[in-house]
Amino acid sequence: MPTKTPRRGMKAFVLIETAPGKTKSVKKELSRIAGHGSSLAHLDAVTGPYDFIAQVEAASLDAIGRLVTDEIGAIDGVTRTTTCVAVAIG
């Protein structure tokens, strides 16, 4: 029976809403987070109900939670985040 290689860390997608007129300043702050060795791996501006989708990676679910609440959620102009943790199926 083949064994699966243990997964290193966790990955999640954070859907980010911003206050009107704050999108550019939030992007600047999110880019600053990504540029300082944090676990924010990728950031896209998107259309629709969210303004950004960030891909984050961390060693544990708790570490993802701290990144989302302490760093992303604390940015002035971020009004709401929704975190979608990536899972393996099958």
Side-chain angles (χ1 to χ4, degrees), residues 25-56:
S25 64
V26 168
K27 180 180 186 284
K28 183 184 256 185
E29 291 301 313
L30 288 168
S31 297
R32 202 168 289 160
I33 290 172
H36 283 86
S38 79
S39 300
L40 198 157
H42 191 78
L43 178 67
D44 285 306
V46 295
T47 61
Y50 303 101
D51 299 295
F52 298 100
I53 298 178
Q55 179 182 329
V56 299

Side-chain angles (χ1 to χ4, degrees), residues 29-88:
E29 291 301 313
L30 288 168
S31 297
R32 202 168 289 160
I33 290 172
H36 283 86
S38 79
S39 300
L40 198 157
H42 191 78
L43 178 67
D44 285 306
V46 295
T47 61
Y50 303 101
D51 299 295
F52 298 100
I53 298 178
Q55 179 182 329
V56 299
E57 298 170 350
S60 67
L61 186 56
D62 287 341
I64 287 175
R66 284 190 300 274
L67 175 66
V68 172
T69 57
D70 296 347
E71 295 189 50
I72 295 172
I75 295 172
D76 180 43
V78 171
T79 57
R80 179 180 295 172
T81 61
T82 301
T83 304
C84 304
V85 177
V87 297

